[in-house]
Amino acid sequence: DAAQSAAEVNAYAYADSLAAEAASRLDAIEADYLVAADLDDTVELIRVDTTWTIDQYGTGDFADVSDAIAALDEYRIAHDATLTIQLDAGAYYFTEALTFHHPDGGRIRLLGDESDPNNVNLYFTGSHGIVVDEASSLGYVAGLALHGDASAANGLFITEASSAQAGALEIHDFGGQGVSVTGSSYLEGNGTSTPGWLSIDGSGVSGIYVADSSAAVLGAFEVSGSGNYGALAEGASYIHGVGASASANGDYGFEAWNGSAADFRDATSSDNSTGYLVGLGSSAKLGGATATGNSNNGFWSLQGSYVDAYLSGCCASSIDSPTGFEADGLAGFSLLSPSVSGSTTYAYHTYAHS
């Protein structure tokens, strides 16, 4: 009948209007993206181990590291291949960080001269040095000397649930942290048993900073001349620094704080304010560790913390610090054959239920 015919006409008209509106929206969306026919290149797959060389004088694959990193967007890397970005000897200058967040970052290597990082110098002005972020990885970075300009930036910055492996590096004069591992991230050192494989000096705040449920397995690093801390783990984090050394830092040589843990067995802490601080519900292994010439405490366990220098090895020693071993605020030490010499206040001091 006439009423039914009118309803059908209206329904078809409404359906047509919806289709037209959907098509218009699709056109708008497509306008924001390149379609396949517009692409000059496709994403290529690197199937075998490949090296890109960086040479400032035009004889390499790229003249600048930043160009190589930008070019990575056009490539994926097969599971059994690696891409090495190899820097030739020389000095390179940057005003922006070298940032890695490639989906295959765990198969990317950034290399200079592993036998002498001082042959490949990277200078950063007003920026971080090398950054790995956005839940990414960097397979290996080594053989580089990173130089900051004392601005509030970090030399090697692993953050936002990211990870990296590092070999021989030197990091100088960054205004924040020399190495910063934060936000549930992880850094592993490849040369952990070689003294000084990672050398950091002149950091504005900390030489090494590990925070926010992160971990750094670094072994025998060297850190000196930081404004505050040589190496600090805080916020349920962990540092492995067996055989490490910390000297001439403004506050603490080595610190585990706020529910963190550290392994500083056989480490050496000298000429800081306090050699080793373990505080606020933290724990540390300090067997065989030495504190020399620190201006406050050699070893300090504080506020519900615990230091093991017994099961982790004997003979922790404090030399020429006003107080050798101090525990306060429900804190404690477990010591096997410790030694104290040259203390002017206390050799061993406990108070506040410690």
Side-chain angles (χ1 to χ4, degrees):
D1 59 14
Q4 182 178 355
S5 297
E8 289 176 348
V9 169
N10 290 336
Y12 283 125
Y14 181 63
D16 288 343
S17 69
L18 290 177
E21 182 179 354
S24 175
R25 289 180 178 177
L26 182 61
D27 289 342
I29 292 171
E30 288 180 342
D32 291 334
Y33 296 89
L34 291 172
V35 296
D38 297 323
L39 293 172
D40 294 327
D41 298 297
T42 57
V43 174
E44 298 183 35
L45 179 64
I46 295 174
R47 298 180 181 273
V48 298
D49 292 348
T50 300
T51 298
W52 291 349
T53 57
I54 311 297
D55 179 86
Q56 303 174 83
Y57 305 105
T59 61
D61 297 299
F62 298 90
D64 186 87
V65 188
S66 300
D67 294 337
I69 293 173
L72 287 171
D73 289 343
E74 300 175 12
Y75 294 87
R76 296 297 302 265
I77 305 167
H79 71 94
D80 56 351
T82 60
L83 172 63
T84 299
I85 302 174
Q86 177 67 61
L87 283 76
D88 285 350
Y92 301 81
Y93 296 88
F94 305 92
T95 56
E96 295 182 351
L98 301 177
T99 300
F100 291 85
H101 42 239
H102 192 276
D104 303 318
R107 297 188 278 277
I108 296 172
R109 295 156 50 90
L110 180 65
L111 297 181
D113 184 345
E114 289 193 83
S115 64
D116 187 356
N118 286 302
N119 286 331
V120 185
N121 292 279
L122 279 57
Y123 294 90
F124 296 88
T125 301
S127 74
H128 300 305
I130 295 171
V131 176
V132 186
D133 63 5
E134 297 182 6
S136 302
S137 297
L138 179 58
Y140 192 55
V141 54
L144 306 171
L146 311 183
H147 303 262
D149 66 345
S151 61
N154 304 321
L156 177 60
F157 190 16
I158 317 299
T159 189
E160 297 173 351
S162 298
S163 65
Q165 186 176 54
L169 291 172
E170 298 214 0
I171 301 176
H172 309 284
D173 300 325
F174 283 86
Q177 333 290 343
V179 170
S180 179
V181 186
T182 64
S184 301
S185 296
Y186 178 71
L187 174 63
E188 181 176 355
N190 189 50
T192 54
S193 62
T194 303
W197 71 272
L198 171 62
S199 180
I200 305 168
D201 63 65
S203 301
V205 181
S206 303
I208 296 172
Y209 180 65
V210 185
D212 308 323
S213 302
S214 298
V217 179
L218 302 177
F221 60 83
E222 295 177 352
V223 59
S224 64
S226 301
N228 296 106
Y229 315 103
L232 166 62
E234 70 172 348
S237 295
Y238 173 72
I239 291 181
H240 174 282
V242 173
S245 70
S247 62
N249 299 288
D251 289 322
Y252 310 111
F254 298 102
E255 180 177 354
W257 187 256
N258 191 14
S260 295
D263 188 345
F264 295 132
R265 288 171 293 160
D266 300 318
T268 301
S269 186
S270 58
D271 300 317
N272 309 287
S273 172
T274 287
Y276 304 85
L277 172 63
V278 183
L280 208 61
S282 299
S283 63
K285 294 180 179 179
L286 296 179
T290 301
T292 303
N294 298 287
S295 61
N296 189 12
N297 299 319
F299 297 82
W300 191 4
S301 183
L302 176 68
Q303 294 176 335
S305 298
Y306 174 70
V307 171
D308 171 23
Y310 180 84
L311 295 176
S312 65
C314 81
C315 313
S317 62
S318 178
I319 304 167
D320 296 333
S321 298
T323 296
F325 294 83
E326 178 163 322
D328 70 84
L330 297 171
F333 288 93
S334 178
L335 301 172
L336 175 63
S337 301
S339 64
V340 178
S341 62
S343 292
T344 56
T345 306
Y346 301 102
Y348 305 92
H349 186 220
T350 62
Y351 66 100
H353 306 290
S354 294

